């Protein structure tokens, strides 16, 4: 039962942490945010560039700056600097995984 609860918690948790990503042949220091298993995004330390992990291609894809507003909102929620609310984050899972 405990393992089941841990699995449920991980699948719905919002968390942020420092990390490194590879994008266009360059290693970048970023902050990463995961929302359960469906969204993994990163933002530059100056909060001006944003990326989403694409599981099907195993690559980071750059996001437009307008999507960055929602990403910043999610980071603020993860840091408990903002009350929980609805955010629109890009999905990292493939269409096959979405049906699971």
């Amino acid at each position: 039962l405990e393992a089941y609860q841990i699995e449920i918690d991980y699948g719905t948790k919002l968390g942020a942490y420092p990390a490194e990503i590879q994008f266009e042949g360059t290693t970048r220091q970023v902050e990463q945010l995961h929302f359960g298993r469906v969204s993994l995004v990163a933002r530059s330390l100056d909060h001006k560039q944003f990326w989403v992990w694409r599981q099907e291609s195993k690559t980071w894809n750059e996001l437009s700056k307008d999507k960055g507003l929602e990403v910043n909102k999610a980071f603020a929620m993860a840091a408990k600097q903002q009350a929980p609310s609805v955010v629109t984050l890009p999905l990292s899972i493939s269409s096959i995984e979405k049906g699971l």
Side-chain angles (χ1 to χ4, degrees):
L1 214 53
E2 183 180 342
Y4 181 70
Q5 185 61 48
I6 290 169
E7 189 68 23
I8 289 173
D9 290 344
Y10 184 74
T12 59
K13 192 175 244 182
L14 180 67
Y17 47 89
E20 290 183 350
I21 65 168
Q22 293 288 326
F23 181 71
E24 295 181 343
T26 305
T27 300
R28 298 171 187 254
Q29 297 290 326
V30 298
E31 297 173 286
Q32 276 186 356
L33 178 124
H34 70 86
F35 179 67
R37 289 192 171 86
V38 297
S39 184
L40 179 61
V41 293
R43 72 176 175 186
S44 62
L45 298 179
D46 64 2
H47 303 186
K48 293 183 179 179
Q49 289 181 290
F50 306 92
W51 300 271
V52 61
W53 176 254
R54 297 292 183 205
Q55 183 62 30
E56 64 273 3
S57 61
K58 306 253 189 281
T59 60
W60 287 98
N61 293 27
E62 194 161 11
L63 292 172
S64 63
K65 298 211 186 299
D66 62 321
K67 300 227 191 262
L69 295 173
E70 288 291 302
V71 172
N72 281 333
K73 187 175 170 183
F75 270 99
M77 288 171 33
K80 299 189 184 337
Q81 297 170 339
Q82 181 173 327
S85 63
V86 175
V87 291
T88 304
L89 294 174
L91 297 178
S92 294
I93 58 176
S94 70
S95 59
I96 293 171
E97 293 168 318
K98 290 176 195 173
L100 295 178

